[in-house]
Amino acid sequence: MAASRPVQSKLATAPAAFQTPHNPSWQCVLICWGNKYSTRIINNLARSIATQAASVPRFVLISDCERDDVLPGIRLVRFPEHWISDKLKRSGCQAKLVMFEQGIVPVDLPAIYVDLDTIVLGDLSQGLCLLENQQTVAILQSAIIPFGWMGRFIYRCTQGRRYARGNSSFVIYHPAACHYIAEQFKQLLQQHPNFEFRPMVADERFMSWAAQPHMKRIPRQFAVKFPGEYMFPWGFWLYLKAWLPWVRARRRALVAVTLNGLMIKPERLLSLREGDVIVDEKSRKLIWSRKTLGQMQSKIKAFYADSF
């Protein structure tokens, strides 16, 4: 992956809006329900993606309501009713599987889905090189069993009871070949309305299970989850890790970082003072300091400077 471009200088000159080209080469999918994320945050994310990408994508925002103040370059698609029931919008976020529903995302281009609590620091379209074919589904690794031949072998040997799993903050896929994921979930939901079938308990588990033969890992040189990269139960390790030359080089090249987790939402991070400590539900510490976060601290501040 090529090194990301500096977020501050790019965003400082970003236009207030953008226009989708007549012949885009890829599309970016965003999903929003409820009032957790303002349109201002959505616009900020889309603008940063468009500004830093090698080519401006077609933006598809799947929303549960009309958003008149969304940027003109964003195509808004309403949630089908069967994907927006209360039980699909809880912690399992199964409603996100709507990205695979036929008729929602156009099938002519490859797509990159991005969670709204994400900061984009470089050219997101670089991730498209992970698509070996239209069936590939690439997400972040989040379990011990790795994606690839070993995960597929374990999946076959256990008849689907064990498999490699990932995190769906980023999903790189081709909509033309992935409708079966949504269709399979809808069929199983009729049989297991309370998610008794284990892979149904979360959107990322289900897509990992359903598409296991085609799953691929998004490398940590490209994108990371903030808690996994910048948080740890032992504070001294955060200082040591930030000092390691190879870690510093990899962090400088990151294209995207997702702020997944209730304890590290942008508005909370922006309220922290130097040296403040946050401990999440897994006892992982965040030390809000340049000594532990390096340039990421200032990048987060710059990215959300006009969002709140």
Side-chain angles (χ1 to χ4, degrees), residues 157-290:
C157 290
T158 64
Q159 297 183 332
R161 292 189 300 274
R162 297 286 184 271
Y163 51 95
R165 302 198 311 271
N167 175 273
S168 62
S169 296
F170 307 97
V171 184
I172 304 173
Y173 69 110
H174 202 300
C178 293
H179 294 146
Y180 70 93
I181 298 175
E183 291 303 316
Q184 195 167 9
F185 182 83
K186 289 190 292 185
Q187 292 172 10
L188 286 169
L189 188 60
Q190 294 179 349
Q191 304 170 32
H192 308 282
N194 296 314
F195 311 136
E196 300 91 345
F197 183 51
R198 186 64 178 169
M200 298 176 65
V201 300
D203 68 295
E204 51 207 21
R205 276 180 175 260
F206 190 80
M207 66 178 72
S208 296
W209 174 81
Q212 185 67 201
H214 311 290
M215 296 299 297
K216 189 169 183 178
R217 176 182 66 90
I218 295 177
R220 292 174 63 242
Q221 291 84 354
F222 179 74
V224 296
K225 298 179 291 182
F226 186 91
E229 179 65 33
Y230 295 97
M231 300 177 70
F232 201 74
W234 304 335
F236 79 88
W237 171 245
L238 297 177
Y239 290 100
L240 177 59
K241 184 177 182 181
W243 174 81
L244 298 174
W246 56 91
V247 172
R248 292 163 63 184
R250 179 175 57 78
R251 287 179 174 180
R252 282 195 300 269
L254 282 172
V255 171
V257 178
T258 182
L259 305 176
N260 63 309
L262 297 176
M263 303 295 290
I264 55 167
K265 292 310 177 189
E267 58 271 26
R268 182 168 188 183
L269 295 182
L270 294 183
S271 69
L272 296 176
R273 296 173 298 180
E274 182 72 15
D276 280 353
V277 177
I278 290 178
V279 181
D280 70 5
E281 69 282 357
K282 296 182 180 180
S283 299
R284 295 176 298 192
K285 292 181 180 178
L286 161 64
I287 302 176
W288 186 251
S289 168
R290 185 172 178 82

Side-chain angles (χ1 to χ4, degrees), residues 68-81:
D68 296 334
D69 49 350
V70 75
L71 288 175
I74 300 176
R75 176 189 299 186
L76 190 143
V77 179
R78 292 292 295 272
F79 259 101
E81 287 299 321

Side-chain angles (χ1 to χ4, degrees), residues 60 75 77-78 80 98-107 175 179:
V60 178
R75 176 189 299 186
V77 179
R78 292 292 295 272
V98 71
M99 74 176 83
F100 303 114
E101 175 83 344
Q102 189 166 6
I104 298 297
V105 180
V107 298
H179 294 146

